Amino acid sequence: MRNETTVPVDATPEALWSVLVDVESWPELTESMTAVTKVDPGPLRVGSRVRTTQPRLPKAEWTVTELVEPERFTWVASGPGYRSTATHEVLTGPGGTRLRLAIEQTGPLGVLLGRLMTGMVDRYIGLEAAGLKRRAEQAA
């Protein structure tokens, strides 16, 4: 099960990247995040762990599995019967700067919950994209 959104951002890729990797500020940007706390100090990097609290979802601990500055990072959270993989990308090209957010649910429980919660997940991804876009455009 995969949910994804892509939005244009009227900001430089560098401005968007700066907002994207400042994960602890995300609760200021969107009502879909109540708390985001980096477990490991320092900048976001492969192996960094981040705890998130979101309305109507269990708390999660995400581990960064890929980080390509200033283009994308991916983090993963898992538990019995599920694995969630979320990708955060800064896209550049003829259309200007764009932000793509995607989450994929795998495993028996992940697929089932992904189907049941697809509307909420789409709403949360949309709220997150709008908040990140707004902050990057204000910074530009």
Side-chain angles (χ1 to χ4, degrees):
M1 189 74 205
R2 181 176 171 90
N3 302 74
E4 179 180 314
T5 191
T6 303
V7 296
V9 180
D10 189 17
T12 65
E14 296 79 17
L16 178 56
W17 179 254
S18 177
V19 171
L20 195 58
V21 295
D22 184 12
V23 295
E24 290 182 301
S25 74
W26 289 5
E28 301 167 15
L29 310 178
T30 177
E31 65 188 64
S32 68
M33 294 279 183
T34 307
V36 178
T37 307
K38 289 185 349 190
V39 176
D40 304 302
L44 209 58
R45 64 188 181 286
V46 171
S48 291
R49 292 169 298 144
V50 178
R51 290 191 182 118
T52 61
T53 305
Q54 297 183 265
R56 299 175 47 198
L57 291 174
K59 292 181 180 182
E61 183 169 292
W62 298 86
T63 301
V64 177
T65 58
E66 178 189 38
L67 190 140
V68 179
E69 289 189 48
E71 297 174 11
R72 69 184 173 278
F73 77 89
T74 301
W75 60 20
V76 173
S78 59
Y82 80 91
R83 179 179 172 102
S84 300
T85 303
T87 304
H88 313 76
E89 295 179 272
V90 175
L91 305 172
T92 58
T97 304
R98 295 178 319 281
L99 168 66
R100 179 168 42 212
L101 302 177
I103 187 162
E104 185 172 1
Q105 309 288 343
T106 57
L109 186 57
V111 171
L112 175 64
L113 290 175
R115 285 194 174 117
L116 291 173
M117 298 173 27
T118 194
M120 184 182 73
V121 172
D122 282 340
R123 180 174 174 270
Y124 281 11
I125 289 175
L127 288 168
E128 291 158 17
L132 292 162
K133 170 185 170 77
R134 188 171 41 253
R135 175 66 59 91
E137 290 176 347
Q138 289 170 350

